[in-house]
Amino acid sequence: MSLPMVVAEPGLPSRVTVYEVGARDGLQNEKAIIPTEVKAAFVERLVAAGAPIVEATSFVHPKWVPQLADAAELMTGLVERLGDTARGMPVLVPNERGLDRALELGLRHAAVFASATETFANKNLNRGVESQFEMFEPTIARALDHGLDVRGYVSMCFGDPWEGAVPVAQVVEVGRRLLDLGCHQLSLGDTIGVATVGHVSALVGAFVDAGVGVDRLALHFHDTYGQALANVHAGLQSGVTTYDASAGGLGGCPYARSATGNLATEDLAWFLTGLGIEHGLDLGAYVETSRWMAEQLGRPSPSAVVRALADS
Ligand code: HMG
Ligand code: MG
């Protein structure tokens, strides 16, 4: 397998944490319902390929996301086979009902997902921006009481298909409120892939100006317009060291018009390797996993690196 030439760029972080979302953000958007055993095998292969964090599924309403209706069954099987590794996998929980379902299985990392815009809050959570916090407040408080870590996503950070441009200050306000409720990390979501490099620098800078350290930020890019890696570069230049990505570039959001695949983990790994930035992923094993997943889904991976390396 070929690897990129390594030429470091001064001033970038030396190590990055890749937060793998393929099993959740990827599979939530598949038209077909993937069998639970295929999802479990996917997650196990991602762990074996070195993914340090694998967001495994969502405890959301099964009618809203039928693709992940088997969350309890999936996590029960993973806990049986992987023990604490599986209990440490983050899962999405929008509300207390979702949290209860995660607690029943002894899971230790939850993620709530907020919207920066009114329209998407209504479409994704069935309530507006203000009332999403009424749902998150008791959910996060109880999660923290039980010793869980809670990640807070903010969606539509760069643009919204219904509302257009989203002001940076509006995103910072939603993010700050999640941190104030006790989230340990914020993942800033470019749900529809419209972020551009200057916008990424401006948004991260606005959080820093608001007193939020870059160590508390993660960036979550969808690659709709092919800008995701350039945006990672802007994030690295701003000092952000956690990036969400999805094996093979699976992904999207069923409630966001025009949301396509996430940044592919393999593309990210190739890019980081070329800069001499440590990420801990086994690129060969990752490509093999995405090739296998593409066979399960019956279509090729959109990742340029998967395609190039699978043929090499
Ligand atoms: P709702 O209908 O307003 O819920 O949905 P409710 O509180 O009114 O309850 C209605 C019924 O649902 C009740 O049952 C509840 O028990 C049940 P009934 O009493 O009628 O029999 N219920 C649940 N059942 C199972 N699990 C639950 C649950 N909650 C309620 N957790 C809700 C509100 C938030 C639940 C709904 O809108 C929902 O599930 N939304 C999820 C949408 C979603 O998963 N979207 C994709 C993830 S976000 C994303 O992809 C973006 C991201 O990647 C970042 C980015 O790219 O920007 C993270
Ligand atoms: Mg997403």
Side-chain angles (χ1 to χ4, degrees):
M1 189 190 73
S2 45
L3 284 171
M5 291 276 297
V6 180
V7 182
E9 185 182 306
L12 300 188
S14 57
R15 191 172 174 86
V16 146
T17 300
V18 177
Y19 183 108
E20 171 61 53
V21 296
R24 192 282 300 171
D25 208 347
L27 299 186
Q28 79 181 6
N29 208 37
E30 283 302 317
K31 287 204 175 55
I33 306 273
I34 312 296
T36 310
E37 57 274 17
V38 171
K39 292 177 182 168
F42 183 43
V43 169
E44 290 187 52
R45 291 178 78 134
L46 294 171
V47 172
I53 305 173
V54 178
E55 190 173 83
T57 189
S58 296
F59 287 89
V60 295
H61 196 300
K63 282 203 191 110
W64 282 65
V65 185
Q67 292 88 340
L68 304 184
D70 62 351
E73 194 188 338
L74 173 68
M75 293 314 295
T76 301
L78 286 172
V79 166
E80 271 167 25
R81 281 191 302 285
L82 303 179
D84 278 345
T85 300
R87 288 186 201 95
M89 290 176 181
V91 292
L92 293 197
V93 295
N95 55 13
E96 290 193 87
R97 175 80 190 95
L99 177 66
D100 287 336
R101 294 171 61 203
L103 289 174
E104 273 162 32
L105 299 173
L107 306 185
R108 294 203 306 260
H109 294 269
V112 299
F113 45 103
S115 172
T117 67
E118 202 62 33
T119 314
F120 187 62
N122 277 294
K123 289 191 185 285
N124 201 43
L125 294 164
N126 204 25
R127 61 233 326 116
V129 166
E130 195 52 44
S131 70
Q132 67 182 345
F133 290 107
E134 287 159 25
M135 182 167 78
F136 296 145
E137 188 178 355
T139 308
I140 296 172
R142 274 188 52 224
L144 296 176
D145 282 349
H146 281 86
L148 273 68
D149 260 355
V150 185
R151 173 182 239 222
Y153 280 99
V154 184
S155 284
M156 300 299 173
C157 289
F158 297 91
D160 172 294
W162 299 278
E163 298 186 17
V166 181
V168 163
Q170 189 173 318
V171 178
V172 173
E173 165 70 12
V174 169
R176 273 232 61 108
R177 287 180 73 174
L178 288 175
L179 290 173
D180 289 348
L181 290 176
C183 289
H184 73 282
Q185 182 181 62
L186 278 186
S187 175
L188 306 177
D190 180 19
T191 320
I192 56 168
V194 293
T196 48
V197 289
H199 201 164
V200 172
S201 312
L203 184 63
V204 173
F207 271 101
V208 171
D209 289 347
V212 178
V214 280
D215 55 324
R216 303 197 69 187
L217 299 178
L219 291 166
H220 177 108
F221 296 120
H222 288 256
D223 206 17
T224 322
Y225 297 93
Q227 303 300 300
L229 280 181
N231 291 331
V232 168
H233 194 209
L236 291 169
Q237 287 176 324
S238 299
V240 177
T241 56
T242 301
Y243 294 88
D244 300 359
S246 126
L250 296 167
C253 175
Y255 293 100
R257 205 169 62 198
S258 69
T260 59
N262 290 80
L263 166 62
T265 313
E266 292 86 349
D267 296 10
L268 176 62
W270 177 277
F271 177 81
L272 294 172
T273 299
L275 282 165
I277 297 175
E278 281 179 51
H279 51 72
L281 304 180
D282 176 340
L283 186 54
Y286 241 97
V287 168
E288 202 36 59
T289 298
S290 290
R291 252 166 48 123
W292 167 83
M293 197 62 202
E295 275 166 30
Q296 311 299 313
L297 299 174
R299 57 182 158 70
S301 161
S303 158
V305 171
V306 170
R307 284 199 307 271
L309 294 183
D311 295 341
S312 65

